[in-house]
Amino acid sequence: MLAGGAARRLGGVDKPAVRVGGRALLDRVLGACAGARTTVVVAGARPTARPVTWAREDPPGGGPLAALGAGVRDTSAERLVVLSADLPFLQESTVGRLLAALDAGPYDGVLLTDPDGRDQPLVAAYRAKPLRHALDTLAAEHGGLTGLPLRRLVAALDLTRLADPVASFDCDTWDDIATARARIREHGHVLDEWITVVKDELGIDLEVDFRGLLDVARDAAHGVARPAAPLTTFLIGYAAAQAGGGPEAVAEASRKATALALRWAEENPGPDAAPQQDAAPQQGAAESGPDAG
């Protein structure tokens, strides 16, 4: 992962540390490649949400191709996913698509293209052997990789492309940052974004059915009282922790809470329902009234 650019169009700020949706851009990209055996970040070391190996091009600031050469030195993997650290919408599923496409064909690499059809060689998966060979050849021809444009690498490899205008969106300007921040607050994205950032902040690595939890909260709010929704979901989490944690424990606690909320609601049908009749007195029971003897 390349995270050491000068960010001139952002006024020279530390771009990987800029927050989108409450998370640093670097951490967002790290989350998309959480399944990697080794993650190498080419930049100056800084705190990150998950452990990484740090590398640096020599001299620092030598450009993306020099940074890529530095990162490749620190891994022996046969397949390499190469990413820039400014991709706010990159998902783990996109990384999986890149690797699947690489495995499916005889190509040296698979890269994304942006909405205008332009190659994005820093959102790509490469076979390590031809990538290293191309880097070594370029370094030998030019006395090093410093200052060389990425198009030299693209021209030296047999590549195929995948179109993905969302995952390929990168943040080069403050307008790009503003666009990314607005998009993740749209209705279709905000909940998943919020759950992800809360899990990161609390150090929770747990995949559960959050939609199911929302259904439980809805049933508790409608069938009992509105404040019952957050309290019920808290108690579900507490019960799941007591049961050893894990998705199965959450699912079981959710099932019990849902059943209880539905039973509760059945006893309180609402103001429009017909009043229930009192049970008839048992035979032999004393009756009251004006005609009672």
Side-chain angles (χ1 to χ4, degrees):
M1 188 177 305
L2 278 59
R8 293 182 180 88
R9 284 187 281 177
L10 288 175
V13 302
D14 182 11
K15 183 166 65 170
V18 173
R19 294 186 180 276
V20 173
R23 285 193 293 166
L25 284 169
L26 175 58
D27 284 335
R28 296 181 70 88
V29 180
L30 287 174
C33 52
R37 187 177 66 189
T38 301
T39 303
V40 180
V41 180
V42 185
R46 83 276 306 279
T48 54
R50 49 184 291 260
V52 303
T53 299
W54 296 99
R56 204 71 168 113
E57 72 273 28
D58 186 19
L65 207 56
L68 178 55
V72 167
R73 289 196 301 265
D74 287 320
T75 176
S76 59
E78 296 181 357
R79 301 180 305 167
L80 302 173
V81 176
V82 176
L83 304 168
S84 60
D86 60 352
L87 303 165
F89 305 127
L90 186 71
Q91 299 290 328
E92 196 166 0
S93 59
T94 306
V95 175
R97 286 179 58 219
L98 287 168
L99 290 170
L102 183 66
D103 291 341
Y107 313 107
D108 296 334
V110 182
L111 51 78
L112 294 191
T113 57
D114 68 12
D116 297 321
R118 291 175 299 212
D119 288 344
Q120 299 296 311
L122 299 184
V123 197
Y126 299 95
R127 298 189 195 280
K129 186 175 180 179
L131 177 63
R132 289 193 175 94
H133 177 74
L135 290 170
D136 290 343
T137 300
L138 287 170
E141 291 176 351
H142 299 276
L145 298 174
T146 299
L148 292 182
L150 277 168
R151 65 175 180 272
R152 297 286 183 89
L153 178 67
V154 172
L157 296 172
D158 179 19
L159 303 174
T160 189
R161 278 87 176 159
L162 296 177
D164 194 327
V166 175
S168 63
F169 180 89
D170 56 0
C171 293
D172 291 327
T173 68
W174 285 114
D175 284 344
D176 294 337
I177 297 291
T179 297
R181 287 172 171 170
R183 185 179 186 277
I184 65 169
R185 285 168 171 77
E186 294 173 358
H187 178 70
H189 306 280
V190 65
L191 184 59
D192 289 337
E193 290 287 346
W194 175 247
I195 292 299
T196 299
V197 72
V198 169
K199 287 166 59 178
D200 283 351
E201 193 72 14
L202 299 181
I204 299 172
D205 184 16
L206 179 66
E207 294 299 329
V208 300
D209 180 11
F210 289 106
R211 304 291 174 178
L213 284 176
L214 285 177
D215 289 342
V216 177
R218 178 203 61 205
D219 292 338
H222 291 174
V224 183
R226 186 168 297 176
L231 292 173
T232 302
T233 52
F234 165 78
L235 292 172
I236 288 171
Y238 189 84
Q242 284 191 316
E248 296 82 5
V250 176
E252 177 63 13
S254 297
R255 185 192 63 77
K256 291 180 177 179
T258 297
L260 177 60
L262 294 177
R263 293 199 305 270
W264 185 290
E266 288 173 357
E267 297 177 12
N268 183 27
D272 297 330
Q276 294 182 352
Q277 299 294 323
D278 293 336
Q282 295 181 0
Q283 185 176 3
E287 296 183 1
S288 61
D291 297 326

